[in-house]
Amino acid sequence: MTQMEQTLRALDAHGVSYQLYTHPPVFTIEEMEAQDFEGKSNIAKNLFLRNANGKQHFLIVMKKDKHANLKALRQQLGTTQLSFASPERLEKHLHLEKGAVTPLGVLFNSDHDVTVAFDQDFLGEDTIGVHPCDNRATVFLTFSDLRVFVEKMGNPVRLIALEG
């Protein structure tokens, strides 16, 4: 069974409603925006970061038009200097490849050692689009369902304030 199939089964098992769209592989927000999601445009941008000694990992989930100030994020998360984690770390902790980063990857983080930090601007959103652990598909679900799913998987969840 593929990771996408496992992810969709997990969403179903937790009673999470979603709409699934399949598409050619996408690696950037620009490529995502070029897809036809029937008017849905609230796509999440995801960054996988590590702290200076590599002992803490953070998955930042933000609105597609925002930019991450790593210094400001460091202060909000109460950690040391942040940098982008390597593809090897992404594979080790979330079993994901570059281009398929998603908060749903916590399904494969059995150590629950990745903190998922959501942009607080997602609060109350009707739908948010994320990959189901495969960059050839996007699922749209409510932010509330996504947050609860991540929490049920056992990962720490934080809300952060990001500048536009």
Side-chain angles (χ1 to χ4, degrees), residues 79-124:
T79 190
T80 58
Q81 184 175 352
L82 293 170
S83 62
F84 289 93
S86 68
E88 293 78 20
R89 284 178 184 268
L90 179 61
E91 170 61 34
K92 176 184 175 187
H93 292 277
L94 296 174
H95 299 258
L96 296 173
E97 296 177 358
K98 189 176 177 182
V101 181
T102 175
L104 296 175
V106 299
L107 180 63
F108 304 99
N109 183 228
S110 57
D111 292 336
H112 313 293
D113 59 354
V114 174
T115 297
V116 180
F118 289 105
D119 180 352
Q120 68 184 9
D121 286 351
F122 282 124
L123 287 171

Side-chain angles (χ1 to χ4, degrees), residues 2-4 20-27 32 35 37 97 99-100 130-139:
T2 68
Q3 280 184 282
M4 181 168 72
L20 173 69
Y21 293 85
T22 58
H23 47 72
V26 293
F27 296 92
M32 283 288 287
Q35 302 306 309
F37 295 127
E97 296 177 358
V130 297
H131 292 307
C133 298
D134 187 319
N135 68 347
R136 294 171 297 169
T138 300
V139 291

Side-chain angles (χ1 to χ4, degrees), residues 133-152:
C133 298
D134 187 319
N135 68 347
R136 294 171 297 169
T138 300
V139 291
F140 284 88
L141 62 166
T142 68
F143 172 70
S144 175
D145 282 348
L146 177 59
R147 181 179 177 180
V148 167
F149 180 83
V150 171
E151 290 170 342
K152 283 183 179 178

